[in-house]
Amino acid sequence: MAEFTTDADDLVLAGEKFTSRLIMGTGGAPSLDVLDQALVASGTQLTTVAMRRVDPAAQGSVLDVLKRRGIRVLPNTAGCFTAGEAVLTARLAREALGTDWVKLEVIADERTLLPDPVETLEAAELLVADGFTVLPYIGDDPILARRLELAGCAAVMPLGSPIGSGLGIRNPHNIELIVEYANVPVILDAGVGTASDAAQAMELGCAAVLLASAVTRAGNPALMASAMRHAVLAGREAHKAGRIPRRRYAEASSPLKA
Amino acid sequence: MYDVVVIGGGVVGLSIAWRTAERGLAVAVVDPGPGSGASHAAAGMLAPISEVAYTEEPSLRLGRESLALWPAFAADLSAAAAVDLDLRADGTLAVAYDSDDLAVLTDLAAFEESLGIAVERLTGRECRRLEPMLAPVVRGGLLARDDLWVNPRRVVRALLTALARAGVAMVPGRASGLVDGGVRLTRGEVVPARQTVVATGAWTAELGLGLPIRPVKGQIMRLRGPAGLLTRCVRGLVRGTSVYLVPRADGEITVGATQEELGFDTRVTAGGMWELLRDARELVPGITELEIVEFQAGLRPGTPDNLPVIGRIRPDVVAATGHHRGGILLAPLTADGVVAMLTGEQPSQILKECDPGRFDGGNH
C-alpha cells in the first residue's frame, strides 16, 4: 500500500528548490500593503515583476516588499514586442537585480496579449547563449514547448487563456500533452480566474502555477491568495494520488461483492 | 519666530498655511517653487465615488468627508483671493469601452451599492445623450452626480494670493531637515518655528523622518479646443485600463494619467503619451482635433496603504503628506485637521485612519 505523505515535494527550477508551487505576479494590486498581504497569504517564494514598470533603484517599491518578505524576484520582460527588446530588458534586469533568471515574455498583439512564438524562440536562444536561466511564456503549443526546451529553457510556461482574462484552462488537452512531452517543469501561466483553475492546472501535471490578476483584482486579494495556495496544494496532491477513471454509469461505493 | 512653518507649498501645504493664518497665527511656507509639484500636474478630480476600488474603503470614507467640505472651502478661498477656481458640479461619468470593461464597471457598481452608495447605471445611449462626443461604441456607464472637479492651478494661484493677503511669509528654499526650534534649509539658514508642518509630498523622504512615502509617477497631457466639447468629467475603462478627460470652462481638457513606480523620474515618454491619447481617442474620437498644450509628468506621494499621513510625529511637528492621488480632494479635510492639531483642538475622528503611527510595526 502506498504511504500517505505530503512532505518533500519541492519544486525544482534550474536546480533551485521551492516548497511553494505558486508563483505570483504583482500587477493590478490596489496598494503595496494589499499586495504584501496577498503575497504572504499565497505562501509564494518566487514572484515576477515587470522590469519596464519598476525602477530597481527606487525606494519603497514592490521590490522592497519582496525583499522584506524573503521572496525571490523573477524579472519579466512584459511589454516587449520583439526579441531584441526582450533581450535588452533581460540584460538590464540582470544588471540591476543581480539575477540571471528571466521570465521571457514577448507579446504579439495588444488586444489578446498573446505571445509571439517566433520572437520568443529567438529571444530564448539568444538569452540562453548569454547565460540566462530562461522561463518563457508561450501559447499552449506542445511543439513550441518542445523547441524551447531543446533551446535550453529551464521551464516552459504555457498559458491557460489570455493574460488577465480569467477564462481558466481552455485547452486542457494541450497542457496535458506539453506536460507529457516535457523534461523541464511546466508552469501554467496566465488565465487563472479562480481557485479551481489553479487546482486543475496542477491536476493536469503542471509543476507550478503563475498568476496575478486573479488575486490582485479580486474583491479580497489576500483571501483569494490563500485560496490559490490551497488550490495548488490540492491539485498537486490529487495529481500524485491518481484520479479514478471516469465511468458512464454509477458504481456502488459499497458493493456486495468486491 | 513663526508660530507655524509649513514645509511644502503644494495644495495641501498652502491650504494648511491659509487656514492656520486665518486663526491669527504667524505662518511661513518653505518651498523652492510653490505649486510646481504634484499640484501642478494634478487633474483636480474631486471624485471619491468614481474612484472607488476594492479594498479602498478607507480612501472612500476620507474622500467623501473632504468632498463635503469642498464647496465651502472653495467659496471661502474664492472670496479671499478673488479667483474663480472653476469648481464644477456637473458630475462624473464613468464609461465602459467594451463588454469586458462593462463587466468590470458592473462589478464596481455592485461593490458601491454594498457600501451604501446610490449608483446610477446608464446604457451606452444614455451616456451619449449626456455627452454626445462619446464614441458610439461606449457600452454603458455610471453617473456619479455628487463628484466635483476643480482646476488645481487656479486653486494654487488663489491660495498664494490669499496667503499674501493674510501676511504669510513665503520662504523660497528647500528644507534639508528639522532642527530644535525650526527648519533648516539646504543653504544652511534656520527658519525658526514653534511648530512645523511637513507637507512635502513625494519629497518627504529627503527630510529623513522615516515615513514610508515614495514617488509614483503620473504622466498627463493638456489639450485645448472649443469650450463645451465635454460637459462632465469623463472617466473610462478602455480594454482594462483607465483614462480620464477633465474639461475646463476655457476649453482645456486634461487627459491622464499613468501610474509608474520609477522613483524621481519625471521624463515624459512616447509610450505614456501614446497610451493616453490612444485610450482617450477611443472614448472621444474628436479629441484628435484639439491642440496639444502641454505634456507633463508629476510625482504623487504614495504610501503603502494609499492613505495619507496626517498627524503629530514629534511634539512640535505635524505631518500632512502622502496624499497619493488625492491631494486636491483631501486638502480641505487635511487643512482643518492639521489646524485642529496645531491649536490643540480635536481633529475629525476620521483622520485616525491617517495616523503616522500605523507604520511603526516595522513592516515598512
Side-chain angles (χ1 to χ4, degrees):
Chain A
M1 194 183 123
E3 198 183 339
F4 169 71
T5 172
T6 57
D7 52 30
D9 183 30
D10 292 341
L11 165 68
V12 182
L13 273 179
E16 302 269 347
K17 284 186 183 170
F18 300 88
T19 53
S20 165
R21 290 176 178 272
L22 179 55
I23 304 172
M24 294 291 294
T26 59
S31 72
L32 280 184
D33 270 0
V34 168
L35 178 65
D36 188 5
Q37 290 152 16
L39 291 173
V40 169
S42 77
T44 188
Q45 295 166 320
L46 182 63
T47 291
T48 189
V49 175
M51 293 315 292
R52 287 202 157 178
R53 297 286 170 265
V54 60
D55 173 12
Q59 295 288 306
S61 76
V62 58
L63 293 172
D64 285 355
V65 174
L66 298 179
K67 190 191 284 178
R68 192 167 70 236
R69 295 298 179 189
I71 298 169
R72 183 173 177 143
V73 181
L74 174 60
N76 71 57
T77 62
C80 294
F81 284 80
T82 67
E85 276 181 279
V87 169
L88 181 65
T89 304
R91 285 181 179 148
L92 290 172
R94 176 166 67 181
E95 182 110 339
L97 299 176
T99 174
D100 56 16
W101 285 35
V102 63
K103 182 195 159 193
L104 174 62
E105 195 174 319
V106 189
I107 297 304
D109 170 53
E110 290 247 292
R111 197 77 205 266
T112 60
L113 296 180
L114 285 172
D116 186 318
V118 179
E119 295 296 303
T120 301
L121 181 58
E122 185 179 345
E125 287 169 351
L126 290 167
L127 289 170
V128 168
D130 196 11
F132 279 90
T133 295
V134 182
L135 299 92
Y137 167 62
I138 56 172
D140 55 11
D141 176 356
I143 307 306
L144 178 63
R146 190 163 52 182
R147 290 290 297 270
L148 284 160
E149 181 184 331
L150 289 171
C153 290
V156 288
M157 310 181 73
L159 54 71
S161 51
I163 294 170
S165 70
L167 288 172
I169 299 175
R170 303 307 284 188
N171 193 341
H173 179 63
N174 270 23
I175 299 296
E176 229 168 1
L177 277 178
I178 293 172
V179 169
E180 188 183 324
Y181 276 40
N183 298 298
V184 292
V186 177
I187 301 167
L188 194 285
D189 181 359
V192 170
T194 186
S196 54
D197 299 332
Q200 186 191 10
M202 299 308 290
E203 289 169 9
L204 290 170
C206 290
V209 173
L210 191 155
L211 56 88
S213 303
V215 163
T216 59
R217 297 187 203 278
N220 183 335
L223 190 57
M224 186 58 91
S226 169
M228 292 300 180
R229 172 189 204 152
H230 290 111
V232 167
L233 287 170
R236 176 69 181 171
E237 290 190 358
H239 174 71
K240 287 168 67 184
R243 64 154 298 142
I244 62 166
R246 290 181 172 85
R247 298 170 57 92
R248 187 169 178 82
Y249 297 107
E251 181 187 32
S253 53
S254 307
L256 196 53
K257 52 191 196 319
Chain B
M1 172 71 78
Y2 295 101
D3 294 317
V4 174
V5 170
V6 179
I7 313 175
V11 164
V12 169
L14 297 177
S15 298
I16 292 166
W18 175 52
R19 289 300 204 193
T20 306
E22 280 188 330
R23 297 295 192 90
L25 299 179
V27 181
V29 175
V30 173
D31 195 302
S36 64
S39 301
H40 195 64
M45 278 179 293
L46 314 175
I49 306 294
S50 339
E51 294 194 20
V52 72
Y54 290 135
T55 76
E56 301 275 78
E57 295 95 322
S59 291
L60 173 70
R61 285 194 290 274
L62 282 174
R64 292 182 90 176
E65 184 136 334
S66 200
L67 180 67
L69 300 174
W70 249 102
F73 180 87
D76 286 358
L77 182 57
S78 289
V83 172
D84 171 17
L85 306 180
D86 200 6
L87 178 71
R88 304 275 294 272
D90 306 277
T92 295
L93 180 62
V95 299
Y97 174 76
D98 67 15
S99 54
D100 287 347
D101 299 320
L102 186 59
V104 173
L105 218 54
T106 304
D107 272 7
L108 210 56
F111 178 57
E112 287 177 18
E113 280 172 338
S114 78
L115 299 174
I117 298 168
V119 176
E120 209 169 327
R121 293 179 176 78
L122 304 180
T123 64
R125 189 166 293 192
E126 287 164 338
C127 291
R128 298 189 65 232
R129 211 170 289 142
L130 294 179
E131 293 297 335
M133 291 299 164
L134 281 172
V137 293
V138 163
R139 292 300 180 95
L142 306 174
L143 179 62
R145 289 189 190 270
D146 295 336
D147 282 350
L148 310 175
W149 75 98
V150 71
N151 186 336
R153 293 181 180 179
R154 293 205 187 176
V155 175
V156 167
R157 204 198 312 153
L159 283 166
L160 290 172
T161 303
L163 291 180
R165 290 181 178 180
V168 171
M170 299 302 296
V171 180
R174 185 173 284 270
S176 62
L178 306 178
V179 294
D180 275 346
V183 176
R184 185 180 297 282
L185 305 185
T186 48
R187 59 178 181 260
E189 168 190 345
V190 171
V191 184
R194 290 198 173 83
Q195 298 196 76
T196 302
V197 176
V198 173
T200 39
W203 292 270
T204 300
E206 285 181 1
L207 294 176
L209 301 170
L211 295 173
I213 292 169
R214 67 186 197 282
V216 180
K217 178 179 176 181
Q219 299 191 52
I220 197 163
M221 81 171 66
R222 285 176 162 80
L223 309 174
R224 185 172 296 142
L229 191 73
L230 295 175
T231 59
R232 287 167 189 77
C233 188
V234 172
R235 302 175 59 89
L237 257 183
V238 182
R239 293 173 180 150
T241 60
S242 55
V243 66
Y244 56 75
L245 299 99
V246 183
R248 313 280 176 211
D250 62 3
E252 188 178 281
I253 293 181
T254 303
V255 181
T258 66
Q259 285 219 78
E260 302 165 81
E261 302 276 351
L262 296 171
F264 287 93
D265 174 6
T266 52
R267 290 172 303 172
V268 174
T269 65
M273 292 303 107
W274 179 71
E275 290 199 10
L276 291 180
L277 278 176
R278 178 195 65 193
D279 293 346
R281 180 173 179 263
E282 295 284 20
L283 292 182
V284 184
I287 64 155
T288 50
E289 300 309 307
L290 304 185
E291 176 191 356
I292 292 176
V293 183
E294 195 180 303
F295 285 162
Q296 198 192 2
L299 300 173
R300 312 174 184 93
T303 62
D305 55 11
N306 293 351
L307 292 174
V309 180
I310 304 168
R312 207 164 272 283
I313 53 173
R314 293 184 190 175
D316 57 347
V317 181
V318 174
T321 180
H323 289 71
H324 197 215
R325 303 173 59 206
I328 312 297
L329 169 62
L330 298 176
L333 179 69
T334 305
D336 286 357
V338 171
V339 168
M341 292 171 196
L342 292 170
T343 56
E345 295 165 9
Q346 188 66 38
S348 166
Q349 284 295 311
I350 201 165
L351 291 178
K352 286 208 164 77
E353 309 225 40
C354 308
D355 190 326
R358 71 188 188 274
F359 300 120
D360 291 346
N363 274 350
H364 297 286

